[in-house]
Amino acid sequence: MSESNRYRLPKTVVPSRYDLVLEADLETFAFEGAVDVTLIIGEAVDEIVLNADELAFGPACWLETSAGDRIEVTGVWLDPETERAHLSLARTASPGDATLHVEFTGPVNDRLRGFYRSTYTDDIGEHTIATTQMQPTDARRAFPCWDEPEFKAVFGLTLVIPEGLRAFANGAKASSEPAGSGKRRVTFADTMPMSTYLIAFCVGRLDATEPVIMGGVPVRVVHVPGKGNLTSFALEVAEHSLRFFTDYYGIPYPEKKMDLAALPDFAAGAMENPGFITFREAALLVDPSTATQAEQLRIGETIAHEIAHMWFGDLVTMRWWNGTWLNEAFATFMALLAMDAWKPEWKVFESFALDRSEAFEVDALSSTRSIEYEVIAPADVEDMFDVLTYEKGGSTLWMLEQYLGPEPFRDGIRKYLADHLYGNTETADLWDALAEVTGEPVGRVMDAWIWQGGHPLISVVRQGDQVALSQSRFGHEGAGDGTRWPTPLRVRVGECTESLLVEPEGVVVEASADELVVANAGGSSFVRVHYEGELFGAVRDAAARLAPLERYVLLDDAWAAVLAGALGAVEFCELAARFGNENESPVWKTLLGGLGWCDRLLDGEPRDGFRSFVRDLAGPRLEAAGWEPREGESDLDRELRGTLVRAMGLLGRDAPTIDRAVVAERASRAGEDIDGPLAAAALPVAATAGGKEEWEAFVAMYRDGATPQQQRRYVQALASLPQPELMQRTLAKTLDGYVRGQDLPFLIGGCLTSRDHGSVAWGFVKENWDALSSKLTPHLLVYLVEGVRVFSTQVQRDDVLAFFETHPLERAGKMLVHALERQGVAVALREREAGKLAAAFAAGGRLRGLGS
Ligand SMILES: [Zn+2]
């Protein structure tokens, strides 16, 4: 990074410690504060430059040298563009130690960033919580600071709070004293040396579970009163994760306590503040007896992800925001390892494949980006919080781990952390540590993967007694450019699996004609595979003997080939028809994802034919699974039942399935004991047969549902009600304050992707754009509009493009560019495939009756 970057603070003055006092007024939503920053002045300065935004300075502000001289700050100039404050000193400060004292005021905002407010209502009334979300650069809205990850410091925090409320922060509560006027002064233990984006604190009417000591670390869940019954799962995951990571990293947990806090309003999923990890409620609180396995896994992964960050990210931190991807990708991969160790029976890498497929789809666009890129302004990093960072980044680390071997990989991680304790790093530092431990060309391989967008298509061709693997760039736009990657790939020939590095010029392996060849064995490489001729037929015919992830990849690669125009949708359906006996829910889900697209492309009689095809395909498997959970069933067996109910109800439109779903949904809503995955699947199916009465009940369940998961399921199910006028009413609910801002993307996004009424939602978004965009953070806004990717007629596309031409997103705009290009892919898919699909599913067509 060039030193001339105007967004980087000068290093003439460096902080080592902050003593911060804050007092928020929860009625006027204003706060006042004072901070004493211990500094090292490296060279004589006339002004001190630090970050501040939306803060007013004063009344007092001065610099005190270690000799006790006080130098007044005579002027403050705030630059809103770089979000900096320039403090002019009355005279030059000489090099040496000093303390900067600044008093300031600011707003407790309602935009889910910096120091913000969250509310909840109970029997007593409405309550306000003042809480924080600092990443990436919002600490500067809570107090003046050197708000770059490289300026690590120790933080000593004191909060002045009303009697009767509780306060939490990174450090444990060290003291609490009356402060007069019905207030208390709560002081917290010092933090470890850390970056400003990791500061967190919270004041409100909140409860905490009794601390459970885990490996010497007291762990609690903080929640709004009345939700303590939903905390046990989180504590179990935390206990496992703490033990797992302490062992994996070979370093003790770096803070002294751990609180996991569930907040009613939270923009992201969760945030890795050391000692005080914050979550949205749905990402932490759960009743395992009514949740689906997928919901539990998502929560478990989120908790493990944040705990993984306590070392990787918090203890050792990226120097600047370009390193954000590695921070996030690594925590994503670590969470998979931790959950896989905790619940091997959940087969977490199979579920992860579904997330990875999203990344594949974005990465096949011509507008994809490299995983890492140069970040100049901190705002540039907003584009980095997407599937290419988390899912593609996490996948490349998984691929690397499989190539190096789990233990050598772990040893490299240990070395990297030990070498940089409490420090800051560049991405290459990790590759260097891994290369040193393993002797492999880690830097060369990973540089190609993180600095080039896209991914390879591995073509497998028989040449006599050998098989040649060559690579090209996979893309929806047809043949890609000349980009190539040194690609770690596991290849199985017969019974023997070999780990290879497929270089740009390709590689040849020995394989006689009767040996089965599986490229991407185990499914851990971030590649698409194309088998030529007989090689494909052999893999397809051997599907039952493949590992579940290999079957997943076979179908997922096939659907990607459909999007790329290399395979017909009809041929995809013929392949899908062979999977009626499939036992794994993720394999069904990827198959149904492709079929869901086919459903969008069909109307009238051919659509009836398609529905009958789906019923023939999924019906016997659901019949075999039955509607009632059985003795000895695994969590995944129950999950599969839910997947099949959705297939039969939503795509097959099977009348008996819909009837049973209506009964199950009503029983579940009435509080009867319906198995979680069945209740979750029955809801959207029942919604398709619902009306005004269900609309009212679903809206009420968003507030009254027993768990955050149930609330979320109901808010999403609103989009499945069949009447356009009910969708209008649903959409109107998003502006009257009933639905929390954090939930709008799920609600409006769900309406946008509705097959039949998406245009109703799009009309609403256009009409209310100003209201929506002023309400939401840049990420929530882009999640909300991403649903336009499914509009697949040219008329819709022209309309969407024209709208965003005049309404560009200020931040996270790259994700919108991806969504718009995906829409182009959808339009091309319709133009290419709709007619052929209709012919194949019409009476007498080649797919009629094939599912049976
Ligand atoms: Zn993270």
Side-chain angles (χ1 to χ4, degrees):
M1 200 62 52
S2 75
E3 287 300 316
S4 61
N5 182 346
R6 55 196 290 260
Y7 292 95
R8 305 286 289 261
L9 290 166
K11 288 185 181 156
T12 43
V13 176
V14 175
S16 64
R17 178 184 174 88
Y18 294 76
D19 285 285
L20 175 64
V21 183
L22 282 170
E23 177 173 355
D25 185 323
L26 298 189
E27 269 150 34
T28 62
F29 306 123
F31 65 88
E32 51 182 55
V35 64
D36 288 286
V37 193
T38 308
L39 302 170
I40 300 158
I41 300 176
E43 54 188 81
V45 287
D46 297 319
E47 68 165 10
I48 290 179
V49 186
L50 71 173
N51 293 113
D53 197 27
E54 298 174 22
L55 296 178
F57 283 62
C61 196
W62 67 73
L63 184 78
E64 193 168 304
T65 69
S66 54
D69 287 344
R70 185 177 284 193
I71 305 175
E72 291 296 330
V73 171
T74 53
V76 177
W77 175 58
L78 291 165
D79 176 4
E81 216 256 301
T82 55
E83 301 177 348
R84 280 186 192 171
H86 296 251
L87 312 184
S88 316
L89 300 175
R91 58 191 160 80
T92 303
S94 311
D97 297 344
T99 303
L100 175 70
H101 176 85
V102 180
E103 296 170 10
F104 55 93
T105 56
V108 182
N109 71 68
D110 62 354
R111 289 176 294 129
L112 308 178
R113 60 194 293 213
F115 197 9
Y116 75 90
R117 58 192 197 248
S118 170
T119 57
Y120 70 91
T121 307
D122 63 11
D123 300 344
I124 305 170
E126 191 179 76
H127 306 277
T128 301
I129 297 166
T131 186
T132 60
Q133 167 58 32
M134 304 308 197
Q135 196 187 26
T137 56
D138 287 322
R140 64 190 64 175
R141 289 173 223 287
F143 61 100
C145 55
W146 277 256
D147 198 11
E148 295 178 12
E150 193 174 358
F151 292 105
K152 287 194 172 187
V154 171
F155 294 83
L157 174 68
T158 298
L159 295 174
V160 180
I161 66 169
E163 290 279 7
L165 298 188
R166 293 181 73 173
F168 303 88
N170 303 93
K173 189 162 75 179
S175 70
S176 172
E177 296 159 0
S181 325
K183 289 176 185 162
R184 294 193 79 76
R185 197 180 165 79
V186 182
T187 299
F188 298 91
D190 285 355
T191 67
M192 66 174 174
M194 65 181 201
S195 307
T196 45
Y197 79 90
L198 296 170
I199 294 288
F201 44 86
C202 176
V203 178
R205 189 168 166 275
L206 292 163
D207 279 350
T209 56
E210 282 301 308
V212 182
I213 309 298
M214 302 177 181
V217 182
V219 180
R220 300 182 295 184
V221 172
V222 176
H223 55 87
V224 303
K227 297 194 175 175
N229 59 322
L230 303 175
T231 56
S232 61
F233 181 81
L235 289 167
E236 267 181 64
V237 177
E239 177 160 29
H240 165 76
S241 301
L242 260 175
R243 193 181 321 115
F244 180 86
F245 292 123
T246 304
D247 175 58
Y248 190 94
Y249 296 135
I251 297 170
Y253 173 66
E255 266 296 347
K256 292 176 197 67
K257 60 96 176 171
M258 182 188 291
D259 289 330
L260 310 165
L263 298 167
D265 298 279
F266 197 80
M271 179 64 208
E272 67 266 26
N273 319 294
F276 187 65
I277 308 176
T278 45
F279 297 79
R280 57 168 63 202
E281 286 186 339
L284 186 68
L285 303 180
V286 62
D287 175 357
S289 73
T290 60
T292 67
Q293 177 267 345
E295 287 165 345
Q296 293 176 69
L297 176 57
R298 183 70 67 194
I299 292 166
E301 276 178 8
T302 305
I303 296 169
H305 174 114
E306 304 311 328
I307 294 178
H309 273 311
M310 298 294 112
W311 292 260
F312 200 108
D314 293 3
L315 182 61
V316 178
T317 311
M318 63 272 181
R319 190 176 306 286
W320 180 246
W321 300 113
N322 59 299
T324 298
W325 82 267
L326 180 59
N327 195 22
E328 296 307 340
F330 190 84
T332 300
F333 175 55
M334 277 297 119
L336 295 169
L337 285 187
M339 292 305 287
D340 193 42
W342 188 47
K343 294 260 188 198
E345 69 275 21
W346 278 3
K347 304 178 183 172
V348 303
F349 283 93
E350 287 174 32
S351 297
F352 175 65
L354 288 159
D355 300 335
R356 185 179 64 172
S357 293
E358 272 294 302
F360 267 126
E361 218 171 306
V362 172
D363 200 41
L365 303 171
S366 59
S367 64
T368 190
R369 61 168 177 82
S370 54
I371 294 178
E372 183 163 342
Y373 57 85
E374 189 180 8
V375 174
I376 308 286
D380 299 345
V381 80
E382 301 272 3
D383 281 323
M384 217 179 248
F385 293 96
D386 69 353
V387 290
L388 296 172
T389 284
Y390 289 84
E391 278 75 25
K392 184 186 177 190
S395 296
T396 58
L397 292 173
W398 181 29
M399 175 168 70
L400 180 65
E401 188 238 21
Q402 291 291 300
Y403 178 67
L404 299 177
E407 284 184 20
F409 181 86
R410 182 205 61 199
D411 292 345
I413 300 302
R414 287 181 176 175
K415 175 172 169 48
Y416 163 81
L417 290 174
D419 286 353
H420 299 283
L421 284 183
Y422 300 105
N424 294 83
T425 57
E426 299 291 347
T427 303
D429 292 327
L430 179 62
W431 310 149
D432 290 348
L434 287 163
E436 213 179 305
V437 167
T438 62
E440 293 285 338
V442 179
R444 181 172 71 85
V445 171
M446 294 309 284
D447 278 350
W449 279 90
I450 68 169
W451 291 107
Q452 306 187 113
H455 54 272
L457 172 69
I458 302 286
S459 296
V460 190
V461 182
R462 174 156 295 286
Q463 295 175 343
D465 276 347
Q466 294 180 320
V467 163
L469 294 94
S470 61
Q471 61 164 291
S472 56
R473 179 174 177 169
F474 181 80
H476 290 150
E477 302 284 289
D481 58 21
T483 313
R484 300 290 181 268
W485 298 258
T487 302
L489 189 73
R490 284 144 59 85
V491 178
R492 186 164 72 247
V493 177
E495 300 296 315
C496 179
T497 303
E498 204 184 339
S499 209
L500 304 172
L501 199 56
V502 182
E503 297 287 359
E505 60 276 18
V507 61
V508 172
V509 296
E510 302 297 322
S512 61
D514 58 347
E515 285 178 307
L516 181 68
V517 178
V518 180
N520 203 6
S524 61
S525 285
F526 197 81
V527 301
R528 295 297 192 185
V529 175
H530 169 71
Y531 296 95
E532 281 284 329
E534 286 306 303
L535 288 167
F536 178 76
V539 175
R540 183 197 57 202
D541 294 344
R545 288 185 282 125
L546 298 178
L549 250 170
E550 293 167 352
R551 293 200 297 278
Y552 180 100
V553 161
L554 186 67
L555 282 162
D556 202 50
D557 286 353
W559 182 252
V562 174
L563 292 181
L567 183 73
V570 170
E571 286 71 27
F572 175 83
C573 292
E574 284 172 337
L575 177 63
R578 306 169 72 104
F579 282 76
N581 290 322
E582 178 59 49
N583 285 322
E584 304 285 331
S585 181
V587 180
W588 271 105
K589 282 180 181 165
T590 191
L591 181 161
L592 294 168
L595 293 185
W597 265 110
C598 296
D599 180 56
R600 282 180 182 273
L601 303 180
L602 291 164
D603 285 296
E605 205 276 335
R607 196 174 179 211
D608 292 339
F610 172 77
R611 288 171 168 174
S612 137
F613 169 84
V614 172
R615 289 195 297 273
D616 290 345
L617 178 63
R621 192 65 196 79
L622 177 58
E623 185 83 22
W627 276 69
E628 295 296 326
R630 293 171 187 164
E631 190 75 26
E633 263 188 347
S634 70
D635 290 347
L636 294 185
D637 291 336
R638 293 162 53 222
E639 206 67 15
L640 175 61
R641 175 179 298 113
T643 301
L644 294 166
V645 166
R646 283 173 203 264
M648 288 296 281
L650 298 175
L651 290 181
R653 302 302 296 145
D654 180 53
T657 299
I658 295 169
D659 291 345
R660 292 190 78 155
V662 168
V663 173
E665 187 280 320
R666 288 206 183 125
S668 166
R669 181 156 30 104
E672 280 178 45
D673 185 17
I674 303 293
D675 195 46
L678 181 60
L683 174 53
V685 175
T688 62
K692 196 165 164 292
E693 200 180 307
E694 281 71 25
W695 185 86
E696 270 157 18
F698 290 8
V699 166
M701 286 298 280
Y702 170 61
R703 189 152 58 194
D704 304 335
T707 66
Q709 291 70 38
Q710 204 181 26
Q711 292 167 357
R712 182 143 151 189
R713 288 178 205 161
Y714 273 94
V715 80
Q716 283 176 314
L718 284 168
S720 298
L721 292 166
Q723 301 81 357
E725 62 277 12
L726 290 179
M727 183 168 287
Q728 288 286 11
R729 285 180 66 185
T730 297
L731 292 162
K733 275 272 158 218
T734 63
L735 295 177
D736 69 4
Y738 183 81
V739 181
R740 292 180 188 276
Q742 65 171 15
D743 297 327
L744 290 189
F746 306 108
L747 179 52
I748 298 180
C751 292
L752 278 172
T753 53
S754 152
R755 182 192 183 278
D756 297 323
H757 308 313
S759 58
V760 173
W762 173 237
F764 175 87
V765 169
K766 283 193 292 184
E767 210 165 294
N768 297 286
W769 181 252
D770 291 343
L772 291 169
S773 50
S774 67
K775 234 175 145 93
L776 298 175
T777 64
H779 269 87
L780 290 175
L781 188 64
V782 77
Y783 289 144
L784 184 150
V785 297
E786 266 186 329
V788 300
R789 71 185 183 278
V790 303
F791 293 166
S792 57
T793 70
Q794 190 61 47
V795 174
Q796 288 173 313
R797 177 154 177 76
D798 293 343
D799 181 43
V800 168
L801 290 177
F803 179 79
F804 286 113
E805 196 67 41
T806 50
H807 300 79
L809 294 185
E810 275 174 39
R811 289 185 170 203
K814 189 79 178 162
M815 290 165 72
L816 178 61
V817 170
H818 293 156
L820 295 178
E821 193 186 339
R822 287 174 83 176
Q823 194 196 11
V825 172
V827 171
L829 177 72
R830 174 180 290 280
E831 283 169 1
R832 207 171 49 235
E833 302 294 339
K836 286 185 268 179
L837 268 179
F841 281 113
R846 64 195 263 211
L847 288 169
R848 224 35 197 277
L850 191 76
S852 54

